[in-house]
């Protein structure tokens, strides 16, 4: 991940929700949406996580964000195709170290989403034929079966 410094313009790659630390606001309330941009105003460490205070000028709010939730604002970015809980189908055989984990056409549910600047969104998916193993897939390896 990229280390940011004060004054850097950054973009959120995930919605930021209240984790219970913002007093007076409902837990789970979306505070800032993925794609919003802001400026780093301060950096701190909390429980081994680097936390950046990001000033979102449009809403005039300062929100604490983890490094993994941010990318430089000038990088190309598109919103994620899928969200946690979506039902998907594998467009290809999903293989790890030569072993097939899930076959093309298998259905599963997205359980988590990660973001890597050089790859985009990575979807942790539990497929029915994967014997309890989670598979990592990129967007073009999946099709939403609920649309």
């Amino acid at each position: 991940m990229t280390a940011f410094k004060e004054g850097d313009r950054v973009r959120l790659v995930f919605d930021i929700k209240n984790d219970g630390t913002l007093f007076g606001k409902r837990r789970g309330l979306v505070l800032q949406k993925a794609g919003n941009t802001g400026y780093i105003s301060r950096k701190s460490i909390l429980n081994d996580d680097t936390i950046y205070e990001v000033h979102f000028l449009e809403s005039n709010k300062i929100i604490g964000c983890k490094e993994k939730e941010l990318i430089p604002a000038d990088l190309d970015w598109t919103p994620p195709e899928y969200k946690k809980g979506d039902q998907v189908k594998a467009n290809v055989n999903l293989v790890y170290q030569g072993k097939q984990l899930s076959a093309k056409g298998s259905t599963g549910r997205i359980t988590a989403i990660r973001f890597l600047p050089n790859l985009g969104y990575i979807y942790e998916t539990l497929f029915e034929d994967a014997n309890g193993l989670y598979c990592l897939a990129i967007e073009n390896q999946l099709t939403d079966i609920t649309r």
Side-chain angles (χ1 to χ4, degrees):
M1 285 284 175
T2 305
F4 301 106
K5 62 184 183 316
E6 189 175 322
D8 284 352
R9 187 167 175 252
V10 294
R11 179 181 313 279
L12 287 173
V13 293
F14 298 106
D15 288 348
I16 300 298
K17 298 178 182 180
N18 183 19
D19 60 3
T21 57
L22 189 59
F23 182 75
K25 300 288 183 183
R26 179 179 50 81
R27 186 182 202 97
L29 177 72
V30 175
L31 303 172
Q32 291 291 322
K33 300 267 264 165
N36 289 0
T37 60
Y39 293 86
I40 302 291
S41 59
R42 198 170 81 162
K43 173 182 168 180
S44 59
I45 305 295
L46 177 66
N47 299 332
D48 296 330
D49 275 327
T50 300
I51 305 295
Y52 294 95
E53 287 185 6
V54 180
H55 186 188
F56 295 94
L57 298 178
E58 204 169 288
S59 63
N60 197 30
K61 297 213 182 310
I62 297 174
I63 306 287
C65 302
K66 295 179 181 176
E67 191 166 358
K68 67 182 180 182
E69 298 167 332
L70 302 168
I71 59 172
D74 59 351
L75 285 183
D76 286 338
W77 176 83
T78 55
E81 181 75 23
Y82 306 108
K83 63 185 183 310
K84 186 177 177 181
D86 280 354
Q87 292 279 339
V88 293
K89 177 177 72 173
N91 293 333
V92 296
N93 291 330
L94 296 169
V95 178
Y96 178 70
Q97 293 184 342
K99 181 180 180 213
Q100 181 173 308
L101 300 177
S102 188
K104 179 179 180 180
S106 297
T107 59
R109 179 179 304 276
I110 294 176
T111 58
I113 303 172
R114 304 173 193 175
F115 184 85
L116 295 174
N118 57 334
L119 289 175
Y121 289 95
I122 310 276
Y123 300 92
E124 183 178 286
T125 308
L126 181 59
F127 286 97
E128 294 169 358
D129 68 344
N131 298 319
L133 297 174
Y134 291 86
C135 301
L136 298 179
I138 57 176
E139 288 182 346
N140 66 358
Q141 295 175 318
L142 302 171
T143 301
D144 187 336
I145 60 173
T146 57
R147 292 183 191 165

